[in-house]
Amino acid sequence: MIQNYFKIAWRNLLRNKVHSLVNIVGLAMGITAFLLILEYVSFERSYNTFHQNISSLYRVVKQTPKGDVWVDMEPAVAPLAKQEFPEVQEYCRVAEHSANGIVTITDPKENKPLQSFRESELAYADASFFTLFTFPLVQGTATSALTQPNTVALSESQSRKYFDTVKSVGKVLTLNNQFGKTIYTVTAVYADMPPNSDLQFEAIFALQTLANPANLNGNDWARLDSFDGSYVITFLQLPEESPGVPADFAAMADKFNALKKSLNPEDQSLFVLQPAKNLHLAESLNEVYRTSGSLSFVYLLSCIAVLILLIAWFNYVNLSTAGALKRAKEVGVRKVVGAGSKQLAGQFLGESLVLNLLGFALALGMVASLQEAFNGFVQKELSLTTLGASVLSLGLLLLVVGALVSGGYVAFTLISFQPVETLKGVLPTGRGGFLRKSLVVAQFSASIALVAGTLVLYQQLRYMQNENLGMELDQRMVIKSPEVGEGSFADRTAALENDLAQLPYVKNFCQTGIVPGGYYNFSANRITRQNASPEDARKTYSMGIVDDRYLATYGIALAAGRNFTPREAELGWEKSAKLMINEKAARQFGFASPEAAAGQIINWGQPYEIVGVVKDYHHQGLKQVIDPIVFMPRRSVGYLTVNLSTDNIQRKIGELEALYKKSYPGNPFEFFFVDEQYNRQYESEQQYGKVFTAASLLAIFIACLGLFGLTTYTTEQRTKEIGVRKVLGASVTSIVALLSKDFLKLVLIAIVIASPLAWYAMNEWLADFAYKIDIEWWVFALAGGLAVGIALLTVSFQSVKAALMNPVESLRSE
């Protein structure tokens, strides 16, 4: 019997080739989108889950009274926590990127440098790193890898890069960074960190190295017993109450804060313990603690995946019920000869299963063909194997349930036909009509909302990219400063600057510790005016090290006062006792105007004169409010920015590289263009835009398939009516208008439903931006107009076909 059901199902599919093809393609497209997005969601949720201790690890974060959250802690915090609280089983401090610098490999026989590499994925860490985190070692032991100062663990890739082998334990390298030039011995090699790890380091240096003041190069703020410099991420291991049940970390944080308050009553910030399992994705959308992934983006993709899959099933229902009319007599005959409802339901469910299986098989092929393009889009290496067993089972269960529900409705519709009526040629007219129309409204509502969201998103992105930033970024090339060399950097820097000044295509240049789009040098408080209140001392300022040419190089204007002089930049801020501030900082200090601030004295360990007030500019982009900035004069730090004409750019880069290497031999020449780096902060919005565009196009296409099905259903019901109207003189235009108006009403209802929903959703999204557009009415008018136009084209195809039909053919049975 079951074999017979499938045989009949196959014959029906072949008999109605166009109907079957449209149905299968619609299902396949929905399932393809669902599976690809499920891969991404599954991968995002797999981050850090491979760590065996993940459920007992917590990151210490600091929350200010204003709600700002800092993840960098003072290095003395973790040892104090273990000393005072027996609940703290172990701790690990990780100084992300603080170790970044130049790694030099030396010939052990001749003691000459063989090769130097500028590295940006280095870290310092405690000896507990490899025991708390699960990163398998290829060489060495986890318990002793980083216990001694001046030791380093390399990744497999880095070991091959430096020494052409993964067995590099015992070999020596030199690191030259902000802490000076230090020799390290390799004590371990670990397997490359997996892509679903938030910790991504190419080499890990023993943090204990910095316990020796001789290894700090004068950076006393980095002392391991210091409460002054905040530069380490602190992880604590707390005991679980029972296997799988986390500790009461909130109570632990309360004890921590009580201790902190007793040590420093003026500090109003609070320590919070964030579960390490939430480092990548937060537990909820309203969590304020920093994560490296975006829960909102995961939710958005998940909703889009389910929405597209639902639209595909809605289409199946609409197309199948439209085609069911052709089989009404078949159902009547089967019932007359004794077929029961269960037998008919079994047959039609079998057809539904065959059709869904064909759609699923086609979807697998489409996933395979689109996988590489999708991986490039999300910048991750994904495949169907990315789906864990539980996620894959859940996805397949959802597909099976959806197939049964949608197929069950079609089967119920077919077996409910009355045989007496259907054998007379009287087809049912009202059954399921409301549901079918509701499904079309739902499909177009989703499609219109996605189109409107796409338009708003691209408007905001264009606004952020084109808004006046208060500075000029085009044609600014930034060269990273040197870290390797013997002798005076000042003399070699002066020589390089003299060479740059002779180049006709160099308009201006500066040497600074900050560049637009990047971080500030550090943040500081206790910078106050005379007779300031304790509240003023707690206000935070972003600190930037610049020279006297910074404003001119980036086209930043002064609001009052003057710029730094070359002499002040040479002396530095402490010796010159000069600072500049921006307008936001002037307001935070309480000055009535920029002019009132210029020339005034502020205290920061010593008196400083505010020589100038800089006009506010968007240093870190339009996603954030402008920070109160204090500019400190100094040269030869961080970055060399060159403002140059960009014609024959490769030749000019080659000349600049030659000058750089002449002044700084042994240092890699690395550069970037400021405008490109600045715009990278909008990559997530660009990714959102691509997702919305693809989802909108797919949703509209699948929705139009559903509308095509409903048009087919209606025209088949009204074939004789159309014939009669044509005999009585109705024109093709009037018949097309008659058949189209009902469908256009559905689209107009969808516009009314989708517009407020889209406005609310996008308004909530825009709330995360400090500077944003206003959502205007024409966005919804354009989205609705596109939907109406596309729907009209879809409906017109079938309507014109019906209107051109010979009335003799449609009236022949009468």
Side-chain angles (χ1 to χ4, degrees):
M1 182 66 74
I2 295 177
Q3 182 181 1
N4 188 51
Y5 288 161
F6 281 103
K7 187 182 294 184
I8 294 173
W10 181 252
R11 288 173 179 170
N12 279 315
L13 291 176
L14 294 178
R15 187 181 303 121
N16 302 288
K17 292 183 178 65
V18 175
H19 176 273
S20 301
L21 181 63
V22 171
N23 232 334
I24 291 170
V25 169
L27 282 171
M29 293 179 70
I31 295 171
T32 298
F34 177 78
L35 289 177
L36 287 173
I37 293 175
L38 194 63
E39 288 178 358
Y40 178 84
V41 172
S42 177
F43 184 80
E44 286 290 292
R45 291 204 167 275
S46 73
Y47 264 79
N48 306 318
T49 55
F50 58 89
H51 293 301
Q52 295 176 1
N53 297 320
I54 193 67
S55 60
S56 62
L57 294 178
Y58 299 84
R59 179 172 67 177
V60 182
V61 298
K62 185 185 292 186
Q63 188 169 14
T64 67
K66 290 184 177 181
D68 296 327
V69 176
W70 304 91
V71 298
D72 290 332
M73 294 290 111
E74 299 84 354
V77 167
L80 179 64
K82 188 174 182 182
Q83 174 185 324
E84 296 292 329
F85 306 117
E87 299 97 319
V88 178
Q89 295 179 328
E90 188 55 273
Y91 66 83
C92 182
R93 295 165 295 180
V94 179
E96 281 190 309
H97 310 309
S98 294
N100 291 348
I102 307 293
V103 174
T104 302
I105 309 302
T106 305
D107 187 335
K109 295 180 180 179
E110 300 183 11
N111 197 30
K112 291 182 179 179
L114 293 176
Q115 201 168 5
S116 294
F117 307 88
R118 185 187 293 274
E119 303 292 1
S120 59
E121 296 296 335
L122 310 181
Y124 290 106
D126 279 314
S128 57
F129 183 83
F130 289 106
T131 56
L132 290 186
F133 297 102
T134 308
F135 295 114
L137 295 184
V138 178
Q139 260 195 308
T141 58
T143 54
S144 62
L146 299 173
T147 54
Q148 299 300 315
N150 298 91
T151 57
V152 60
L154 301 178
S155 69
E156 282 187 282
S157 297
Q158 212 69 359
S159 180
R160 290 192 186 94
K161 176 179 175 181
Y162 293 158
F163 305 108
D164 294 323
T165 177
V166 296
K167 296 182 178 181
S168 57
V169 168
K171 295 185 181 296
V172 174
L173 57 82
T174 302
L175 175 64
N176 201 328
N177 61 12
Q178 61 182 320
F179 300 117
K181 185 177 180 180
T182 310
I183 297 174
Y184 289 86
T185 301
V186 179
T187 54
V189 177
Y190 56 91
D192 290 346
M193 294 180 174
N196 59 340
S197 170
D198 278 321
L199 299 176
Q200 291 289 341
F201 305 124
E202 296 167 345
I204 303 169
F205 295 83
L207 184 64
Q208 198 60 31
T209 308
L210 303 184
N212 184 352
N215 292 330
L216 293 177
N217 195 31
N219 295 291
D220 291 339
W221 54 268
R223 294 195 329 268
L224 297 187
D225 60 351
S226 170
F227 285 97
D228 294 330
S230 300
Y231 70 99
V232 298
I233 297 174
T234 300
F235 293 95
L236 303 180
Q237 185 180 35
L238 304 181
E240 294 180 300
E241 294 185 1
S242 60
V245 179
D248 187 356
F249 58 90
M252 179 67 222
D254 291 339
K255 293 182 182 180
F256 217 153
N257 286 311
L259 175 64
K260 183 174 71 67
K261 193 168 184 64
S262 67
L263 296 174
N264 186 5
E266 293 185 5
D267 189 353
Q268 301 298 309
S269 62
L270 294 176
F271 284 140
V272 181
L273 298 186
Q274 180 185 16
K277 62 184 177 65
N278 298 338
L279 291 185
H280 192 74
L281 294 178
E283 279 196 310
S284 62
L285 289 173
N286 57 3
E287 184 169 323
V288 297
Y289 310 122
R290 187 184 305 175
T291 58
S292 54
S294 172
L295 184 64
S296 60
F297 190 51
V298 168
Y299 278 171
L300 172 67
L301 284 179
S302 300
C303 291
I304 288 176
V306 173
L307 185 63
I308 291 175
L309 191 60
L310 286 175
I311 290 175
W313 281 329
F314 290 169
N315 274 347
Y316 171 73
V317 171
N318 275 341
L319 289 167
S320 297
T321 51
L325 294 173
K326 299 178 180 179
R327 304 183 64 183
K329 289 186 178 180
E330 175 192 341
V331 173
V333 171
R334 288 181 176 275
K335 282 190 171 184
V336 168
V337 298
S341 297
K342 290 183 179 180
Q343 291 174 311
L344 291 171
Q347 177 187 327
F348 294 127
L349 279 173
E351 293 182 14
S352 171
L353 185 59
V354 168
L355 199 142
N356 275 272
L357 285 174
L358 290 173
F360 186 72
L362 179 59
L364 292 178
M366 293 174 70
V367 167
S369 61
L370 296 173
Q371 190 71 68
E372 185 175 349
F374 183 72
N375 289 352
F377 168 67
V378 299
Q379 298 296 303
K380 299 182 187 295
E381 287 300 318
L382 305 177
S383 67
L384 287 174
T385 58
T386 305
L387 303 175
S390 58
V391 177
L392 184 60
S393 299
L394 181 62
L396 291 176
L397 178 63
L398 184 60
L399 290 173
V400 171
V401 170
L404 290 176
V405 171
S406 57
Y409 173 74
V410 175
F412 170 76
T413 302
L414 286 167
I415 64 178
S416 62
F417 291 167
Q418 296 299 317
V420 175
E421 299 296 324
T422 56
L423 290 176
K424 287 181 179 179
V426 179
L427 301 180
T429 56
R431 183 179 291 112
F434 176 77
L435 177 62
R436 285 190 292 274
K437 292 177 181 178
S438 298
L439 295 182
V440 171
V441 170
Q443 290 172 319
F444 272 91
S445 295
S447 303
I448 293 167
L450 286 171
V451 171
T454 303
L455 293 173
V456 171
L457 193 148
Y458 275 112
Q459 271 190 292
Q460 175 66 16
L461 186 59
R462 187 170 65 251
Y463 168 78
M464 292 189 295
Q465 292 174 331
N466 298 329
E467 180 68 4
N468 181 14
L469 300 173
M471 60 183 169
E472 298 173 8
L473 302 180
D474 292 342
Q475 301 179 339
R476 270 70 176 177
M477 174 181 169
V478 176
I479 304 169
K480 295 182 180 180
S481 290
E483 297 187 52
V484 172
E486 303 295 337
S488 171
F489 269 117
D491 292 342
R492 284 179 287 158
T493 298
L496 176 61
E497 290 182 353
N498 184 62
D499 289 337
L500 290 175
Q502 306 305 313
L503 297 175
Y505 53 81
V506 173
K507 303 174 185 177
N508 217 324
F509 60 88
C510 63
Q511 297 223 33
T512 63
I514 58 173
V515 292
Y519 295 110
Y520 301 103
N521 289 108
F522 56 91
S523 297
N525 52 21
R526 300 181 184 179
I527 309 176
T528 61
R529 295 175 61 181
Q530 302 277 347
N531 304 317
S533 67
E535 178 63 28
D536 290 329
R538 288 193 286 268
K539 293 178 180 177
T540 301
Y541 296 85
S542 297
M543 314 299 288
I545 301 172
V546 301
D547 65 8
D548 54 298
R549 298 160 299 196
Y550 175 71
L551 300 184
T553 301
Y554 283 102
I556 301 171
L558 277 168
R562 64 171 176 83
N563 189 12
F564 293 131
T565 65
R567 180 58 178 165
E568 289 165 351
E570 290 173 4
L571 290 174
W573 64 91
E574 290 181 328
K575 291 183 179 179
S576 69
K578 308 294 184 185
L579 297 172
M580 289 194 300
I581 62 176
N582 69 344
E583 292 175 300
K584 178 72 174 288
R587 291 191 294 272
Q588 185 162 295
F589 278 122
F591 293 111
S593 66
E595 291 77 13
Q600 296 297 313
I601 302 297
I602 57 176
N603 293 309
W604 181 35
Q606 69 177 56
Y608 287 89
E609 179 189 357
I610 301 173
V611 299
V613 179
V614 176
K615 278 185 173 290
D616 284 340
Y617 70 98
H618 296 279
H619 185 84
Q620 290 191 317
L622 294 166
K623 296 174 73 172
Q624 304 176 38
V625 296
I626 294 175
D627 291 307
I629 309 174
V630 175
F631 298 96
M632 305 174 291
R634 185 181 169 189
R635 281 189 182 169
S636 302
V637 289
Y639 304 97
L640 168 64
T641 301
V642 181
N643 180 10
L644 72 166
S645 58
T646 54
D647 54 307
N648 298 318
I649 188 64
Q650 293 303 321
R651 176 182 62 81
K652 293 173 181 176
I653 290 174
E655 292 178 4
L656 291 173
E657 181 177 6
L659 292 176
Y660 180 89
K661 289 187 173 180
K662 183 181 77 172
S663 295
Y664 307 120
N667 284 273
F669 178 77
E670 294 182 352
F671 67 91
F672 59 87
F673 287 93
V674 178
D675 56 345
E676 294 177 1
Q677 175 180 279
Y678 194 86
N679 287 326
R680 283 197 191 101
Q681 63 187 303
Y682 305 133
E683 284 180 348
S684 61
E685 283 70 35
Q686 292 171 338
Q687 191 177 47
Y688 278 22
K690 293 176 182 177
V691 168
F692 267 79
T693 301
S696 300
L697 293 173
L698 187 57
I700 287 178
F701 179 78
I702 299 177
C704 286
L705 287 180
L707 192 61
F708 176 82
L710 191 57
T711 308
T712 303
Y713 171 83
T714 303
T715 52
E716 287 183 354
Q717 278 191 321
R718 304 177 71 173
T719 300
K720 291 183 175 60
E721 176 191 346
I722 294 169
V724 171
R725 288 179 178 274
K726 289 199 69 176
V727 169
L728 295 176
S731 65
V732 172
T733 304
S734 64
I735 292 175
V736 171
L738 176 71
L739 294 174
S740 301
K741 67 178 182 179
D742 291 335
F743 303 115
L744 294 181
K745 287 179 183 176
L746 300 179
V747 179
L748 292 175
I749 293 171
I751 294 173
V752 172
I753 294 172
S755 296
L757 293 176
W759 178 87
Y760 175 80
M762 298 313 294
N763 207 46
E764 288 293 306
W765 177 71
L766 287 171
D768 291 334
F769 293 88
Y771 306 91
K772 53 185 179 289
I773 62 168
D774 293 321
I775 303 177
E776 300 183 26
W777 64 269
W778 64 262
V779 170
F780 307 103
L782 179 57
L786 287 172
V788 169
I790 294 171
L792 189 60
L793 287 174
T794 304
V795 172
S796 297
F797 174 78
Q798 198 69 12
S799 300
V800 170
K801 180 180 175 182
L804 294 175
M805 187 183 298
N806 188 343
V808 175
E809 296 294 329
S810 58
L811 297 174
R812 178 172 295 172
S813 62
E814 295 296 332

